[in-house]
Structure formats: structure tokens, C-alpha cells
Amino acid sequence: MRISVPTEVKNGEFRVALTPSGVHDLVAAGHEVVVQRGAGEGSSMPDAEYADAGATLLDDAADVWAQGEFVLKVKEPVASEYRHLRDDLVLFTYLHLAADAPLTARLVEAGTAAIAYETVQLPGGGLPLLAPMSEVAGRLAPAVGATTLMRSSGGLGLLMSGVPGTRPASVTIVGGGVAGANAAVIAVGMGADVTVFDTNVQRLRYLDDHFQGRIKTAASNPLDLDRAIVSSDLVIGSVLIPGAKAPKLVTNDMVRRMRPGSVLVDIAVDQGGCFEDTRPTTHADPTYTVHGSVFYCVANMPGAVPNTSTSALTNATLPYIRQIARLGWKDALRVDAALAAGLNTAGGGIVNPGVAAAHARELVPLADALG
């Protein structure tokens, strides 16, 4: 199969969809891999390493897209890339279509078979291709939160750990999944006073046991969440409903009653965000102010550490890439229910229930999409 890897063009996105080691693996299996020149530079993976691994390097993005039967990306296509979408193309990337009506419409119009990393789902509910980036974003969130809490960044001027005789930062994490748990690891390590909210009591039991009493856990309900948010110095939103928009759990009224200079970091921004006032920002301009509190809502947080993120992503995606390249996308999905859950659009229809519901569009049954 001809596999293409274009350079990411989203603002502040330095990751690449495949490492040189991933290229070597696919070429050794008999596939042809085309990589846009410079695609790996932002991840400190130079062209020479891709060439040595067996990739064909091309300068022009249009050529890279045109030559690929199977295109690998990190982030969803932006408007300038819509022209490359076509009905004989398989696209494998993060899509987050529930929060992106224009891209959804364009994929449907083009007839592209689009498989989203974030909706590939194991029988037990695990999200194997979202997990590594959730780990990265979760671990980054307390770090960027701590920086934003500095007075020079607009925060209230609080050190996360405090020092003897002063209080540490009060950190509330909304959502105890992969991202939330990883955020808790770093926040506790920084010496903060951490509370994790989740609706799943079994998950809270696991976190309580895992952290051995170093964090507080709370069953999420509107009253207790309200009280915790209003008294927090740093709020990290990490709520996820696979394929669907995130629920708005932190309201404008809660933010209005927070201490000026408090910080809110929304990891769920790709899915529309779990704060009422969330709007996507970029690494170049990451924050804005609401009622005196500072919001950090960068939509591709792992792009800040692309060498780590690219390697972690390829580790997770490569088994699925091998499967699609070997069998073709339809047969690969027929034999792997987890991968089949990743199909969002195909043949001019929407196959994912969450995406169809988000845009009030007709849902095409998976069996029909696979013929």
C-alpha cells in the first residue's frame, strides 16, 4: 500500500504521524511510504533519518496527499487541506468531528473514509490511541497551570507547592480518566492539594488506592463541584465522552465567583471543552481572561513536546497502521471491532453515533459502510 505522511500545518503543531522507525517497519513489510520533506523536523526527526529508513521524500504537500492511498496525520485537516480529501482516500488521524461541523461536512462531501484515533475503542472501553496523548496532555496540564499561576502570566502569583508557613495551591481535576489521573500524578508531585472529581465511583476507588491517600476523591455532583471550583486556584478539565462533545460542567457563574488570578486548563478543548467559556487557543497565544480568571485552552497541548508525543503516538498507532496496510481498510475493520469503532465517515455518510448526534445528521450503519 502507498502510505503518505504530510507535514502538519495546524498552528503550533510540531508532531509528525510516523517516526523513522515506523517507516522502516512498514517499508520492510513491502509498503511504499512517502513523507513530506521537513515533516519530522519539529519533532527533532530529520529528513535523513526518514530517507535512511526507506521513505520517499517529496517537497510538495499536494504531491504527498495525491500519492497516498492511506494518509497518516496527527491533527485533523484544516481548511487549506480540504482540497486534498477524496473518495478513494483512507485518512487516519485525530479528528474530533463532534466539535467540527465544517470538517465533518467536507469529509462527507468528499466521501473520504476517515478513521479517528480518538474513537478506536477496546471492548472494555479503553481508548488505546487517545491514551498516549491523554497521558502527555495530563502531565503537561499542571506544568502549564503552575506557570500560568505566576503573576507574570496573569495568575494570582501562587507557587504550586507553597513553602513552609504558606499554603499550597488547591487543584481540582474534573474527570479521573487517563488524562485526569496523569494530571494528578504531576500535581501531587508538585506539592499541590489535589481533588479529583468523577462520576464513576469504581474509578475513584482505584485512584484512592493508587495514590495511597495523597489525593482527595469526590463523586461528581453539581453542588459539590460548584463549591470545589469556586475555592480552587487551578482547575483542570479532563472530561471525555468518546466521539461526542464534552459536557459543560464548569459554568460562567462558577468562574465569576472564583478568586481573581485563578487558572483553568481545559484538556477537553478538542471535544468542545468542559468549561462554558472554553474557546480553542494556540501555543503562540495560549490564554485569555474571563471574570479575572485565566483560561488555558490550547487545542493541541502535546504538540509542545513533539519528540515525546510523536514517539508515543507511533507506538500506539503502528499495529493498526500495519493491519490496515496489510488487509485494506474494510477488511481490517471487519476483523477488528476496536478499529471499526474508529470509523467516523465513509462513502459520503457519518458512521459514528456521537458525531451524527452532534450535527443532527443521519447515521449510516457500520455494516452498510463496509459493504
Side-chain angles (χ1 to χ4, degrees):
M1 182 175 279
R2 295 191 308 278
I3 303 167
S4 286
V5 182
T7 300
E8 296 296 320
V9 297
K10 187 166 185 171
N11 182 290
E13 184 52 72
F14 300 107
R15 290 173 289 180
V16 61
L18 199 61
T19 62
S21 296
V23 169
H24 181 271
D25 183 287
L26 294 169
V27 170
H31 305 294
E32 179 185 349
V33 182
V34 176
V35 177
Q36 187 173 352
R37 201 176 298 278
E41 293 292 340
S43 294
S44 302
M45 298 175 184
D47 289 341
E49 292 186 10
Y50 283 96
D52 290 345
T56 300
L57 297 174
L58 296 179
D59 292 309
D60 187 59
D63 291 340
V64 175
W65 280 85
Q67 290 205 22
E69 303 168 81
F70 184 20
V71 170
L72 307 177
K73 278 180 52 61
V74 178
K75 291 301 291 179
E76 72 282 350
V78 299
S80 64
E81 296 175 302
Y82 289 2
R83 61 194 173 95
H84 302 309
L85 302 173
R86 58 185 198 270
D87 62 5
D88 62 345
L89 179 71
V90 180
L91 176 65
F92 198 27
T93 187
Y94 289 115
L95 286 170
H96 301 287
L97 292 183
D100 195 339
L103 177 58
T104 303
R106 185 65 189 99
L107 287 167
V108 169
E109 179 186 343
T112 302
I115 305 169
Y117 294 155
E118 75 275 5
T119 61
V120 173
Q121 189 165 14
L122 298 172
L127 302 169
L129 306 188
L130 188 61
M133 296 304 96
S134 294
E135 290 167 346
V136 172
R139 292 184 181 218
L140 275 175
V144 299
T147 300
T148 310
L149 275 170
M150 294 180 183
R151 193 63 182 170
S152 57
S153 300
L156 58 85
L158 185 69
L159 181 65
M160 284 277 275
S161 62
V163 295
T166 72
R167 70 177 184 86
S170 175
V171 177
T172 295
I173 299 171
V174 187
V178 174
N182 277 272
V185 167
I186 302 303
V188 166
M190 297 175 83
D193 180 7
V194 180
T195 301
V196 178
F197 278 80
D198 201 281
T199 57
N200 185 334
V201 176
Q202 283 298 111
R203 180 64 177 175
L204 294 178
R205 288 196 179 102
Y206 165 79
L207 293 172
D208 180 72
D209 180 64
H210 178 77
F211 284 97
Q212 294 291 293
R214 290 177 296 149
I215 66 168
K216 303 180 186 75
T217 59
S220 188
N221 63 76
L223 180 61
D224 289 339
L225 185 62
D226 181 287
R227 289 170 175 166
I229 296 298
V230 171
S231 63
S232 294
D233 303 304
L234 171 62
V235 177
I236 296 172
S238 58
V239 176
L240 174 69
I241 299 174
K245 279 191 173 183
K248 301 292 187 181
L249 300 180
V250 177
T251 67
N252 181 273
D253 179 64
M254 293 178 188
V255 176
R256 179 183 59 78
R257 290 180 283 125
M258 291 178 75
R259 191 179 296 113
S262 300
V263 174
L264 299 96
V265 178
D266 198 344
I267 299 173
V269 60
D270 279 328
Q271 293 291 103
C274 58
F275 307 154
E276 184 179 352
D277 295 294
T278 290
R279 57 177 173 80
T281 61
T282 66
H283 290 290
D285 187 17
T287 63
Y288 58 93
T289 303
V290 178
H291 295 311
S293 292
V294 185
F295 277 58
Y296 182 102
C297 301
V298 174
N300 56 329
M301 285 177 64
V305 286
N307 186 270
T308 297
S309 298
T310 289
S311 296
L313 181 61
T314 296
N315 291 343
T317 59
L318 191 57
Y320 294 100
I321 293 168
R322 287 193 200 108
Q323 193 169 324
I324 294 169
R326 180 170 59 88
L327 300 176
W329 74 272
K330 289 187 177 181
D331 283 342
L333 269 59
R334 288 189 184 107
V335 301
D336 189 335
L339 187 56
L343 187 64
N344 278 214
T345 69
I350 295 175
V351 185
N352 180 276
V355 175
H359 303 300
R361 285 179 173 249
E362 182 181 355
L363 178 67
V364 174
L366 176 64
D368 292 352
L370 298 179

